[in-house]
């Protein structure tokens, strides 16, 4: 099953500053710092697999990612796979195919906006120093504004094709245009910290604090095209559902 780590508002007091991330940020970042991240690849119509997003290893059979990567009129699990244990796009590592995507059923029993999925893989992962499961935040944890997180990803405009980690600061949902109750509990909003001008985010990229994954970058903007920052599903809202699903 997935690991859960209990976080509270008190735990966040004295959160890291952006300078604490300089040793892992930028093009020299390696997978050793975030071995739970994997690439999500799509099979293109011309027969080539291409990285389109990211996911986080929950256990040796499940990953956590954005539902927008595993939905839509053309979605077929046969056309999705993940690549674990590789620092660079579309090379190396271990390939694992998709058996089933369990997208959060927002339309069935809640009106909350959601872009999160627990994906079951066709085979189990063998853990290595570069393939590890993540800790996820406990249900009911408080994620304050102004918290500096590390955002891992490859990013569509990252010309190095290497995994990087960059600092993101959480901001109020009011600031990013989501000022009604339905969004406040399910979405985190963030901005890249000053000095980082190109986002390394992929749909499904993790937001991490102190080795605990607390967010999943969305592939949607929920029709809020005026927000220039980054949106993430707030895992604490979904933790119990994730634990029930990833078994």
């Amino acid at each position: 099953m997935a690991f859960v780590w209990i976080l509270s508002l008190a735990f966040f007091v004295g959160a890291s500053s952006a300078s604490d991330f300089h040793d892992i940020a930028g093009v020299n970042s390696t997978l050793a710092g975030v071995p739970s991240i994997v690439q999500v690849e799509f099979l293109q119509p011309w027969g080539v697999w291409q990285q389109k997003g990211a996911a986080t290893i929950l256990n040796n059979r499940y990953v956590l990612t954005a539902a927008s990567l595993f939905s839509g009129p053309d979605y077929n699990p046969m056309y999705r796979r993940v690549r674990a244990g590789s620092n660079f796009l579309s090379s190396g590592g271990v390939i694992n195919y998709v058996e089933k995507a369990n997208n959060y059923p927002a339309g069935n029993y809640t009106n909350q906006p959601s872009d999160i999925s627990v994906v079951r893989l066709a085979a189990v992962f063998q853990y290595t120093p570069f393939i590890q499961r993540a800790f996820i935040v406990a249900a009911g944890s408080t994620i304050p504004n102004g918290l500096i997180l590390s955002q891992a990803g490859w990013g569509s405009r990252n010309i190095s094709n290497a995994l990087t980690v960059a600092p993101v600061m959480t901001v109020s949902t009011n600031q990013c245009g989501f000022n009604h109750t339905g969004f406040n509990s399910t979405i985190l909003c963030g901005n890249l910290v000053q000095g980082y001008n190109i986002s390394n985010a992929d749909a499904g990229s993790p937001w991490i604090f102190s080795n605990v994954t607390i967010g999943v970058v969305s592939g949607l903007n929920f029709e809020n095209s005026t927000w220039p920052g980054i949106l993430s599903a707030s895992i604490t809202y979904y933790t119990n559902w994730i634990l029930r699903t990833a078994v």
Side-chain angles (χ1 to χ4, degrees), residues 86-148:
S86 177
N87 195 60
F88 295 95
L89 289 179
S90 305
S91 65
V94 176
I95 299 296
N96 204 334
Y97 291 86
V98 170
E99 180 178 299
K100 179 184 178 182
N102 300 283
N103 296 340
Y104 186 76
N108 292 343
Y109 57 86
T110 174
N111 292 322
Q112 308 295 333
S114 306
D115 186 14
I116 194 164
S117 182
V118 173
V119 176
R120 180 176 169 86
L121 302 173
V124 298
F125 282 124
Q126 299 298 318
Y127 293 131
T128 75
F130 302 103
I131 301 176
Q132 293 288 319
R133 55 182 172 177
F135 292 102
I136 63 171
V137 65
S141 298
T142 300
I143 313 299
N145 300 328
L147 184 68
I148 302 288

Side-chain angles (χ1 to χ4, degrees), residues 182-218:
F183 283 99
N184 289 342
S185 60
T186 64
I187 285 180
L188 297 173
C189 301
N191 277 321
L192 287 172
V193 171
Q194 187 175 2
Y196 293 81
N197 298 319
I198 297 179
S199 176
N200 65 334
D202 297 292
S205 285
W207 279 2
I208 302 167
F209 179 83
S210 191
N211 203 37
V212 179
T213 302
I214 68 171
V216 175
V217 172
S218 177

Side-chain angles (χ1 to χ4, degrees), residues 7-162:
L7 300 178
S8 66
L9 182 60
F11 186 83
F12 285 118
V13 172
S16 301
S17 67
S19 62
D20 295 328
F21 289 83
H22 287 172
D23 62 328
I24 57 174
V27 296
N28 294 324
S29 298
T30 67
L31 193 63
V34 277
S36 58
I37 193 172
V38 301
Q39 300 172 47
V40 175
E41 298 181 343
F42 288 28
L43 181 61
Q44 301 299 325
W46 50 92
V48 175
W49 288 93
Q50 187 174 23
Q51 187 262 359
K52 291 291 186 178
T56 296
I57 298 172
L58 291 170
N59 56 40
N60 64 2
R61 197 67 184 268
Y62 288 88
V63 297
L64 182 67
T65 188
S68 52
L69 296 172
F70 292 84
S71 59
D74 298 325
Y75 169 69
N76 186 321
M78 293 177 59
Y79 305 149
R80 300 290 188 275
R81 71 183 191 183
V82 303
R83 183 186 299 271
S86 177
N87 195 60
F88 295 95
L89 289 179
S90 305
S91 65
V94 176
I95 299 296
N96 204 334
Y97 291 86
V98 170
E99 180 178 299
K100 179 184 178 182
N102 300 283
N103 296 340
Y104 186 76
N108 292 343
Y109 57 86
T110 174
N111 292 322
Q112 308 295 333
S114 306
D115 186 14
I116 194 164
S117 182
V118 173
V119 176
R120 180 176 169 86
L121 302 173
V124 298
F125 282 124
Q126 299 298 318
Y127 293 131
T128 75
F130 302 103
I131 301 176
Q132 293 288 319
R133 55 182 172 177
F135 292 102
I136 63 171
V137 65
S141 298
T142 300
I143 313 299
N145 300 328
L147 184 68
I148 302 288
L149 308 172
S150 55
Q151 174 180 273
W154 288 267
S156 60
R157 292 182 291 173
N158 177 9
I159 60 174
S160 74
N161 290 326

